[in-house]
Amino acid sequence: MGKTTGFIEYRRESMHTRNPADRSGDWRDLYEPLPEQRLQTQGARCMDCAVPFCQTGEMLDGSVVGCPVHNLIPEWNDLVYRGQWKEALDRLHATNNFPEFTGRACPAPCEGSCVASLVESPVAIKTIERAIIDKGFAEGWVVPRIPLRRTGKTVAIVGSGPAGLACAAQLNQAGHLVTVFERHDRIGGLLTYGIPKMKIEQDVVDRRVNVLREEGIRFETGIDIGRDVTAEQLRAQFDAIVLCTGATVPRDLQAAGRELKGIHYAMDFLHLNTKSLLDSGHRDGRFLSAEGKDVIVIGGGDTATDCVSTALRHRCRSLVQFDIYPQKPLHRGAGNPWPLWPVVHKVDSGQEEAQALFGRDSREFAVSAAEFVSDGQGGVAGVRGVGVTIAKDASGNRTQTEISGSERLWPAQLVLLAIGFRGPENGLLQQMGVATDGRSNIAAGRGSDQGRYGTNVPGVFAAGDARRGASLIVWAIREGREAAEECHRYLMGG
Amino acid sequence: MCGIGFIVNINGNKSHDTVDQALQMLIRLSHRGGQGADPHSGDGAGILTQVPHELLADWCAEQGADLPEAGGYGVGMLFLPTDDAARLDYEARLERIVRQEGFRLLAWRTVPVEVEVLGASARSTKPAIRQLLVTPLAQTALAEGWSMERHLYVIRKRAEREIGGIAERSGHPFYFASLSARTIVYKGLLLPDQLPAFYADLQDARYTSALALVHSRFSTNTFPSWERAHPNRYAIHNGEINTIKGNVNWMLARETKCSSEQFPDMLKIRPIIDASGSDSSMLDNCLEFLHLSGRPLAQAVMMMIPEPWAKDPLMNEGKKAFYEYHSCLMEPWDGPAAIAFSDGRQIGACLDRNGLRPARYCVTDDGRVILASEVGVIDIPPERIVRQDRLRPGQMLLVDTELGRILPDEEIKATAASERPYRAWLDEQLVDLAQLADRPAQEGEPLDERQLLQLQRCFGYTFEECHKLLKPLAEQGEDPVGSMGYDGPLAVLSDKPQLLYNYFKQMFAQVTNPPIDAFLEEMITSIESTIGSEGNLLRPGPGNCRRIRLPAPIVTDEELQRIRDNRLPGLRAVTLPMLFVASAGGKGLKRALGELFQAADQAIDEGAAVLILSDRGVGSRMAPIPALLAVAGLHHHLIRSGRRTAASLLVESAEPREVHHVALLLGYGASAVNPYLAFASIEQMQRDGRLAEGRLSREQAIAHYMRGIGKGILKVMAKMGISTVQSYIGAQIFEAIGISQDTVDKYFTRTPSSIGGIGIATIAGETLQRHAAAFAAEEQAPVLESGDDLQWRSGGEPHLYSPHAIHSLQQACRTGNYGLYKQYSQSLDGESDGSGTLRGLLQFAAVRQAIPLDQVEPVEMVLRRFKSGAMSFGSISKEAHETLAIAMNRIGGKSNSGEGGEDSARYVPDANGDRRASAIKQVASGRFGVTSHYLVNASEIQIKMAQGAKPGEGGQLPAHKVYPWVAAVRGSTPGVELISPPPHHDIYSIEDLAELIFDLKNANPQARINVKLVSEAGVGTIAAGVAKAQADVILISGFDGGTGAATRSSIKHAGMPWEIGLAETHQTLVENGLRGRVRLEADGKLMTGRDVVVAAMLGADEFGFATLPLVAMGCVMMRVCHLDTCPVGIATQNPELRAKFAGKPEHVEQFMRFIAQEVREWMARLGIRKMSELIGRADLLQLRDVPAGRKAAAVDLSALLRRPKEAQLAADKTFFMDDAPDASRSELDLTLDRQKLLPLSESVWNGLRTERVQAILPIRNTDRSVGTLLGSEVTRRFGAQGLPEDTIQLHFHGAAGQSFGAFVPKGITLTLEGQANDYVGKGLSGGKLAVFPPSKAAFVPEESMIVGNVALFGATSGEAYIRGVAGERFCVRNSGADVVVEGVGNHGCEYMTGGRVVILGNIGKNFAAGMSGGIAYIWNRNGAALEPLCNRKLVEIAPLDACEDENEAQQVRGLIERHVKYTHSEQAQFLLDHWERSLHQLVRVIPRDYKRMLQTIERFRQTGASGEEAELAAFQARKQA
């Protein structure tokens, strides 16, 4: 159990980020790993709680508490402290197929509910997680585990994001023959095209995909199910189908001037950027460049931050981010006690870089885009922002009130909408006859006779953002794993 | 648990005086006996004498019958049916047996009795009491050459079997109190003074005897009855045989192999043990059998109650060989025992190895020997006493009236030892395990990773077990420790497959017998045993010890191989597979068991002496039979088939790994266990460098593990007061929870199992689930399951404390949001699916109409019944401790100080009116800070007999938690570890508990006395005893509660849920008319209002909460309380962490109100207006439907819901009584204090403090706790500082009763000219005591016993001067008194933490064990070797003149001068007279850590630090080191 007094004796240290000014000039990993000795010290801070809130993975008071995949955090913290890296890796893989992704791009709700934060600051869980898996790959410990026996059952997984990959990995281990269909040219879904490469370098995705491939999973890229292959054909070929198509329909902003050129969805911006980067190192020019432009990113989430980082690397002229919410408090409020997800002001990598390059945080808080202003030639020239207050009404719905006299015009030649997603695309679902819920996500949940992940169509399951709505990688992994369990039960007739 | 005594005329002169004096003695021992609900019925009293020939002869003459010479006839004393028809029938049958056995009936005599003297319950059960006079037919007796007594024995045994069976079926009595030509027993359900009044014979001057044994009973393990009164036919017993179940089983097994020329037809006398009797009567059965089969009585006693021989370097070789040899024949009957015995010619007494019962004796100049539990029971002028002494542990005293002399212990034993060449036989036949030829371990490769993992999964290994159990065991050799109780489901309520071990709970000693100090008093323990075939108990010969000696009950793979391969004649080992065909399921398991039993029978018949049950060979086809099932089943099968003693059982299994597993296997008959998978798992960790960073070798790791398990087993045994593994084997000290009765009957025969449960099919099913997971899966997960037993894991077993429960409760308490609280409680109550607890299987029956909430009594009334749990200051922080107290005081409930004392600053209310004093003050075994002042400031005093987390164990506060402020309150030294012993050293039995209750009532007559017990089978009977001992409140704690640190195995596996114990207790008390005398309290994971309501319905008046209020204050269930790293500042003394404490009294108040409010809501729904109407209403509970297929469906809780008839009558009666006890405490009216001492001291109360009070008073043994009540009055009026020295001076002459001068504060001086019983100066709180013999005494003072055992126990300050020798355990837990004495028994100064003790004479064994503070000085005048007598783990021994500090010798001299002043000791005067010359003979014993700390503190003080600063600095320095 770590060192009993570790949390008192040692201070938290998480992986360091490279100097923001330096790193904003390249697309390489923004983190620098800690040396092994210091990682062990961090492992020593774990208190091995008898009730480890860090691995709860439950919603309490509407907030996620602990790790959604129930990572066995105290167990591998201790193993790292004792230098038992290989066993730590085994314990890590026991709950998480892809710790290299979560260790890089997870906001770490585990740390938000770590008991050590009651005393001082949480254990550097994410740092340790990443270190374990990186060492695993470096040492050659991550090797294909080819199933002992095959069941002869076949499963098609549509979508190769984290949910699809996790589901495929689990079903393959259970002995089924799994084929993953990806409409794009590269495997990985958001891992590949959604998250910019300084957060997850592409070879991190590729090396995992290679392992999965060697374990026997077939990957089919460039095949858009529903278009290239009909739902009917797919059903005829496979004993079961798991839809992991993601929540790819972006939420739009209804404001005057929305039709102007230069206003893009964040995901289009990010996808094209990465593809061009990977294909040609941006030499093909097939991306939306922010270079020399005034850029406005609308949205306050992780995608918005990714847009900020990307635009900065394009050498934009200026950069502003609209967040309709006011700046969060620096410390937990009364209604936000431990172990709930801490709702506090954070400075993410993008903002940090903006600070370094432009001398100020990119964010404008409590500002909403009221109108897009034209340059007179059909292009966007600026955004009129207005201050807003947000309130919850009695039924819990948010209402937004503009503050009169707070209007201001911001110049912009490129506007990126990063205000969320509305759910999965509907075409394939219709073709399959799969029902959706009120939020237009795939309806697969309790009450279905195929368990929590079964859709209304027998043999068809859904997992990840397509079912849950856009969320964290770690939720996608959990969904993929759990859907695999349900699917396995269906296939084995249990 | 009683008062015992005998008196004998050494020369065999018979007189009525002897009888008379014995009866007088009995009356003066009354307070040691029990009294039922009806004050006129006792627990039993009786007397054994020689046959009163004159009386009987006269009677016969009157009847016109002819009585042969004395000794020529037998007299039977019979209890017969009052129904004449039945009686006549039995008598006729008996006469027939008499004739068949060659005897002639002389007469039936109806014993004249005076029924009027009896109490109601004794009268209603009184049998017809008749004497049977028989004589051998002329041709029978001597012709066959066997004695009259044997003939009479055969008659009795036959009659007991043949007539007794009929009588039992028709519910009539048929019982021989005695049948002998030499002795007779008069006894009954009587109080001592009723005995002579009831039996007129005893007052008849013609009734003469040269000897008499008397006994006054206090029953706690069985219910009192006419038959169970003592004496038995040969012996009386004060104590308890802890291993009785095993002893009886073994005797049952053994008797088939017994043959003797003494008893040509053994069948006539079988069964030897009458299993319907009490443990004492069964012991008597065995003693009688051994004696009549040809052994002298004393030798039979030596066989059954051996001295601890294995570890005694000083014991003579012959005696050791005797004991060792006989250990091959019979296991010890282990448990606290003082027994006295007589065959009519010899009379004797002996103490068990622990010496836990008092036995004092004296020899008079007119040839009498008087022995009794107490001195002063017969008035003997001091000048007539030529010797006064005590029996020492393991010692025997024997008087032979025909030889006309006292046979000393050495002589008796030397005679026995020299009878046969035991040593030669042992040398020739008994083989050490190490002597067996070495063989290569099992051929084949060690398991590869994959096979190991498969096996681990098949046997349910988890990551948790490997890392948190095996690893620490292998690294440190210690069973790992946890905190905060158990909150997982009972095995039978879990929906996951469980190991069979989890369905059994360890039993433990409380009240009736003490747990023992296995580690500090190591000399009496042994984990050795021998294996092989047992011989004929009755024919001692060399072959009987043809056995292999095992040093420990756990053997390595290599050792097992040696046993397996041995080719020695008579020691053949056969391996039997413990496997079944997986695909055959439950039926296959049953079949395999049958085959195993058959194979065992066959192997034994073919000469096997060792059977190895092995589950090697588990694979995808073969699954393991649970080892416990195989062992227990085979053990009982072999007992039934009469083969059990022919072979020993060994277990070679992958299944056992923890202490509890091994303990169970031993308890059900295995002699040793080879846990090969545990070894393999440790070896793997070792190979991978995972043990102690790779610093351990394989051999070291395995040795550590074995040592840890061995120590753990000792601890489990010690909990029950058992000292040797040999007698633990087969002792079945377990109860089942969740096993069906028919499975228990068949495989675990005679194991208590109160709630039914699963059978073989489910046991097989659970095994097969694990097996399938290991062998049948397509994929292999590369890792072990996490395990979820003592820690919560997502997807694991549900725990009551889940993240959700903790979070919602804390938020509710902080925000006052009752809705949030309801979320919490509803998730726990789990109306739909049960919650892993027994109460979860119950639901409320709608009997009445619901009522509006406002008609239910207010929250305040409910809150009065709430208490917070006992948690010591020291284990939790000042902030947490005081927050809890303030909150409980505010709501009108009670907080509990725990066992760590309390800072007296808290007795003064705060400016805002808050009170930080705990209403309940705990008195635990460590007695930390238990002073008169502490006790006076209580409204309730709780005696902790056991605690839920670790019943039967002591505790310790590690040095790093003994901060200066903790040490101050506990009266100890900062930075020095503190130990609470497993037993209270002043409670070894129920009469001792009664004495402590009496002491405490005297120490504070306004406080209720609460006795805390832990739930287990039989706790109801114990509670009835406690009620009879006059407690006011009895707390039944669940096993799962408790905040204290304990080994995880204790936390989970010892004790039972409160539901079972509470229901049993309530029912038993009601049935015995005792329920109205006491209040009942329950605790142990009470979590919601619903839990409280269920507890009330099962009988609780009051309710305790411990872990929950901590959670309300911020505890997040880290379970690291023992590490001082509590992150929320609760269970820590670290100032840095204490600063994090965010709890407020309001949080606790809020929590208590929520619970109370919820209780009210339930009451409204049930139509109940007042809580008092809820108590004992088990009829409002019913079983909830559990879906078939869940294990819980097999549970049957009807025993919990049984309502005694009286309860229905008293349905509306309220059991809850007002807070304060009856202010007059009329039970104290007859005390010397109230009668004389308080009136004498009036002037002091009246403010005339300058005036001294002086008086001279007589005292006798029935004057107990003299000075205590007076002392409490002084403390109440004058506070902790008491009065100026010698303000009240009282001089007594005579023999003082127990607890002379207990808790006496400063200003009181008591001098006693005479002698005293046990517990002199218990808890001395500043007062002064002196005890010395009368000047005309005929004995040598410094060689004679003058005060009893356990003197100065828990003394905190004051002085005592004792001219003479004290008994065992002198100055145990002394923390500050200065004492001079002239000799002490064993275990002197044990656990001492402060004060100075000067011993001008001899010390006993194990001196200074656990002594962590204070200093002892011994005048080693004759230069004896002190080292072997000292327990030197903690102390150093050096001559006083080698000390650095010159003042020290002067201080010692000062003490000795005072000793002379108060006692006129010649011994001491001699020393003073020759001081310089004798100085080098004075030896100082001082704890090393204590010395070091004192020096460090002194060093800091010399740098100019204040006392407090110096202590803190020294403590910090110690902590860093």
Side-chain angles (χ1 to χ4, degrees), chain A residues 429-482:
Chain A
L429 306 185
Q430 276 183 346
Q431 228 180 66
M432 284 200 157
V434 166
T436 52
D437 64 15
R439 297 189 301 150
S440 78
N441 295 322
I442 299 176
R446 283 182 205 283
S448 155
D449 51 8
Q450 292 174 60
R452 280 206 287 153
Y453 293 84
T455 67
N456 58 316
V457 183
V460 178
F461 299 82
D465 288 0
R467 190 195 78 92
R468 185 181 186 86
S471 187
L472 310 177
I473 295 172
V474 68
W475 278 112
I477 295 174
R478 165 151 158 192
E479 296 232 333
R481 292 171 66 89
E482 290 182 348

Side-chain angles (χ1 to χ4, degrees), chain B residues 867-879:
Chain B
K867 295 167 165 179
S868 65
M871 291 171 279
S872 69
F873 168 59
S875 72
I876 64 175
S877 64
K878 176 176 152 73
E879 293 76 13

Side-chain angles (χ1 to χ4, degrees), chain B residues 333-561:
Chain B
W333 291 56
D334 201 352
I339 71 167
F341 49 85
S342 175
D343 59 4
R345 167 183 160 175
Q346 291 185 330
I347 190 165
C350 104
L351 285 193
D352 71 291
R353 56 177 60 210
N354 278 298
L356 297 182
R357 294 288 185 274
R360 305 273 292 268
Y361 65 92
C362 68
V363 183
T364 63
D365 61 358
D366 58 355
R368 284 179 298 161
V369 175
I370 297 152
L371 175 140
S373 304
E374 294 189 9
V375 292
V377 289
I378 293 179
D379 295 321
I380 309 163
E383 59 273 23
R384 311 215 63 168
I385 299 175
V386 294
R387 187 169 150 212
Q388 62 184 35
D389 208 341
R390 70 185 191 284
L391 276 186
R392 290 163 171 73
Q395 203 183 35
M396 195 182 289
L397 171 77
L398 193 66
V399 178
D400 189 311
T401 57
E402 281 181 23
L403 296 177
R405 67 185 186 90
I406 301 173
L407 281 66
D409 185 66
E410 306 77 55
E411 180 183 337
I412 307 167
K413 291 175 179 169
T415 310
S418 61
E419 240 170 40
R420 293 191 171 84
Y422 294 121
R423 178 49 63 200
W425 288 352
L426 289 166
D427 288 347
E428 183 184 303
Q429 301 290 339
L430 186 60
V431 190
D432 268 331
L433 178 56
Q435 290 173 317
L436 292 180
D438 240 331
R439 302 268 166 174
Q442 194 98 358
E443 55 282 356
E445 299 289 299
L447 300 167
D448 68 26
E449 294 265 322
R450 187 186 156 76
Q451 289 167 321
L452 186 68
L453 187 64
Q454 264 178 343
L455 269 189
Q456 286 175 331
R457 296 182 73 182
C458 181
F459 288 93
Y461 269 62
T462 62
F463 179 84
E464 189 183 45
E465 282 183 305
C466 289
H467 281 252
K468 297 192 174 148
L469 177 81
L470 294 181
K471 190 162 175 269
L473 272 167
E475 285 178 342
Q476 289 136 31
E478 299 280 349
D479 206 13
V481 167
S483 301
M484 295 297 275
Y486 186 71
D487 67 345
L490 290 170
V492 72
L493 301 182
S494 157
D495 290 325
K496 298 193 156 193
Q498 296 279 338
L499 293 177
L500 187 55
Y501 306 107
N502 292 346
Y503 294 88
F504 291 82
K505 300 281 184 203
Q506 296 161 16
M507 298 189 73
F508 51 89
Q510 54 184 349
V511 181
T512 60
N513 55 330
I516 55 173
D517 255 332
F519 302 112
L520 282 182
E521 300 180 5
E522 217 177 344
M523 61 192 214
I524 43 104
T525 63
S526 163
I527 59 169
E528 258 186 39
S529 68
T530 60
I531 56 170
S533 182
E534 254 188 34
N536 178 355
L537 177 64
L538 304 183
R539 290 228 183 96
N544 282 348
C545 59
R546 184 59 172 163
R547 295 170 79 84
I548 301 169
R549 178 167 34 212
L550 306 182
I554 171 163
V555 293
T556 64
D557 298 357
E558 295 80 10
E559 288 169 338
L560 183 69
Q561 201 56 31

Side-chain angles (χ1 to χ4, degrees), chain A residues 161-177:
Chain A
L165 291 180
C167 190
Q170 292 298 99
L171 285 168
N172 182 58
Q173 283 300 314
H176 308 300
L177 287 167

Side-chain angles (χ1 to χ4, degrees), chain A residues 227-248:
Chain A
R227 191 170 306 155
D228 303 333
V229 175
T230 66
E232 212 168 302
Q233 287 170 324
L234 194 68
R235 297 216 55 194
Q237 275 181 43
F238 291 92
D239 296 317
I241 298 167
V242 188
L243 303 174
C244 303
T245 52
T248 47

